Amino acid sequence: MLNIADTLHRWCREARPFALATVVDVTGSAPLPVGTSVAVNESGNAVGSISGGCVEGAVYDLCRQVLSDRGAPQRAWFGYSDDDAFAVGLTCGGELDVLVQRIDPALQPHLAAALNDVVQGRPTAVAQMVAGPRDLIGSTLSVLSDDSVTHGTLDGGPADKLVAEEARGLLRAGRTTRVTVGGNGDGCPEPMTVLVHVRASRPRMLIFGAVDFAAALSQAGAFLGYRVTVCDARPVFATSARFPHADEVVVDWPHRYLKRTEVDTRTAVCVLTHDAKFDIPLLRLALDLSVGYVGAMGSRRTHHERLRLLREADVTEDRLPRLHSPIGLDLGARTPEETAISITAEIIASTHRGTGLPLSQATGPIHRPIPPLRSDHGRSGEEAPAPARQSTRIQGKARPVETAITRTQQ
């Protein structure tokens, strides 16, 4: 739902009820991830997309139905069809599990507050019950990263505390995913599956070396949503005028700055300095931190020499494979702008465990599922038992499109 937070926040401020359709599970290849939503208000206005167009009409109709009936949430399953471009189905071959529910802002004031935090850019998580006790489906609970207090309720009991802990962990990781709690002696006798929507702070891209390539990379990083920092020990080069797309430009020795700044598992460290006196202390530290990506620019000869110096600096063999060097994918890049695309392409592939191959030469789903996080309390990716469902079939040429709709409470 956070993909349409601006509009939902406005509707909540205006106390306008709306229907919210949310992708709560994806099987196979699908264009948009779990947590993506469409909303429709009482005037028939719609916002958002969950499939890139192929099932939007059916979801819109279901939203209008749920909104007018003022009834229970409904679940819908959309599968594959090649009948025609307008069939109710996913031509990409995937399957979507969609929860549709009526939201009355007057009954869920905490949701308006959470959406306001998202609009204001504050890290926020909203947990939405998607499977479990029928009377709790669609209930929500919100958490701020710097707030020990939860807002709203799922079951008014142990599940609230367990889900809040999971939500704070997912906020730190910047992940939207499903979490299952209960059913294992932790105070919740019945398992419940909760979709935790996360709007985290922007991930960081740390670029070391105030060179022309850094200027292009900072622009590409900003475009991808990173909070970009350019750092160099030479004040004549490290200036805001040279890097207008960076959020900050720091004059400091690279390893000294990295040691004192905040990083996490989403941070990308890009070393463009081309100078061993900067590179080695910096990479020695970076390879020992829990960051998402570490890359260093240089020729293959520079790379082999860099590995030798890192070993001499007591970097262990198990750490060296974390280093992406020479940095970037083989795109034949030559200009700083092309090189920036090469580097960011490798960061994207590393983040999402992509192969870097042309899609025409790869096999399997184009859109990979996000690997689940696991913890002591939650069992990410495991689904609480769903109620029995009834199906209606719409015949396609290849195989039927199955749209199954189940009322989750009476």
Side-chain angles (χ1 to χ4, degrees):
M1 71 178 73
L2 304 187
N3 63 303
I4 51 176
D6 288 351
T7 300
L8 298 188
H9 179 235
R10 186 176 73 252
W11 289 353
C12 284
R13 287 201 327 267
E14 297 168 353
R16 303 177 66 181
F18 57 90
L20 182 71
T22 303
V23 178
V24 298
D25 197 11
V26 171
T27 302
S29 181
L32 294 168
V34 167
T36 306
S37 295
V38 166
V40 180
N41 66 16
E42 291 183 318
S43 300
N45 297 317
V47 61
S49 174
I50 62 172
S51 69
C54 48
V55 301
E56 307 302 331
V59 171
Y60 178 84
D61 291 340
L62 186 54
C63 284
R64 293 298 300 271
Q65 177 187 334
V66 169
L67 196 54
S68 63
D69 289 349
R70 296 175 177 265
Q74 297 192 23
R75 292 282 283 270
W77 285 260
F78 296 97
Y80 169 70
S81 170
D82 67 352
D83 193 25
D84 58 60
F86 302 102
V88 179
L90 290 167
T91 55
C92 54
E95 295 181 356
L96 295 181
D97 182 359
V98 180
L99 174 67
V100 184
Q101 65 185 102
R102 187 179 191 274
I103 301 290
D104 188 338
L107 301 179
Q108 299 192 50
H110 73 280
L111 188 56
L115 292 169
N116 179 66
D117 289 327
V118 172
V119 171
Q120 297 299 321
R122 290 188 284 270
T124 307
V126 178
Q128 177 187 25
M129 182 80 73
V130 299
R134 293 184 175 218
D135 59 335
L136 298 180
I137 300 296
S139 57
T140 57
L141 176 150
S142 58
V143 176
L144 281 173
S145 61
D146 57 354
D147 189 353
S148 61
V149 179
T150 59
H151 307 273
T153 183
L154 298 175
D155 71 343
D160 288 1
K161 181 179 179 181
L162 296 176
V163 170
E165 292 177 7
E166 292 293 322
R168 292 188 182 96
L170 290 168
L171 262 175
R172 290 190 293 272
R175 291 273 303 277
T176 291
T177 191
R178 299 190 323 277
V179 173
T180 297
V181 299
N184 58 358
D186 54 12
C188 301
E190 188 169 351
M192 307 174 185
T193 298
V194 179
L195 175 58
V196 183
H197 304 256
V198 168
R199 177 61 57 87
S201 57
R202 287 190 294 162
R204 300 193 67 188
M205 177 179 286
L206 306 179
I207 303 172
F208 295 97
V211 297
D212 289 345
F213 292 100
L217 181 57
S218 66
Q219 183 175 7
F223 175 75
L224 291 175
Y226 283 90
R227 180 162 67 92
V228 178
T229 299
V230 175
C231 176
D232 197 297
R234 302 165 297 175
V236 67
F237 296 112
T239 65
S240 298
R242 295 190 67 223
F243 302 99
H245 299 285
D247 292 275
E248 58 182 346
V249 179
V250 176
V251 178
D252 200 350
W253 278 74
H255 73 282
R256 188 164 60 190
Y257 174 73
L258 182 59
K259 187 174 183 179
R260 65 179 171 86
T261 197
E262 182 179 351
V263 299
D264 60 27
T265 56
R266 300 177 297 149
T267 302
V269 175
C270 303
V271 181
L272 313 183
T273 47
H274 277 297
D275 190 329
K277 69 175 179 290
F278 295 124
D279 289 3
I280 301 307
L282 173 61
L283 290 172
R284 180 185 180 187
L285 175 60
L287 292 173
D288 203 40
L289 295 175
S290 295
V291 296
Y293 174 90
V294 181
M297 180 172 280
S299 66
R300 298 194 186 281
R301 178 180 298 177
T302 299
H303 168 66
H304 292 302
E305 175 64 12
R306 182 182 289 137
L307 291 180
R308 183 185 69 80
L309 294 174
L310 287 172
R311 291 186 177 99
E312 289 182 358
D314 297 324
V315 176
T316 58
E317 290 296 325
D318 63 312
R319 294 290 183 182
L320 293 177
R322 296 189 60 207
L323 176 60
H324 296 265
S325 174
I327 196 170
L329 296 183
D330 180 14
L331 305 182
R334 293 184 177 274
T335 67
E337 292 76 17
E338 291 174 343
T339 302
I341 297 301
S342 166
I343 295 170
T344 51
E346 184 176 55
I347 293 173
I348 294 170
S350 176
T351 300
H352 300 294
R353 303 182 185 180
T355 64
L357 292 171
L359 290 174
S360 61
Q361 297 180 16
T363 59
I366 294 175
H367 306 283
R368 292 176 172 81
I370 299 175
L373 294 178
R374 295 189 178 272
S375 69
D376 294 335
H377 299 293
R379 302 186 297 282
S380 300
E382 298 179 10
E383 184 82 3
R389 67 189 190 188
Q390 297 176 344
S391 300
T392 59
R393 292 178 181 271
I394 303 173
Q395 187 68 34
K397 291 181 180 177
R399 65 180 180 86
V401 181
E402 183 178 276
T403 304
I405 302 174
T406 302
R407 293 190 181 275
T408 55
Q409 62 182 7
Q410 303 300 326

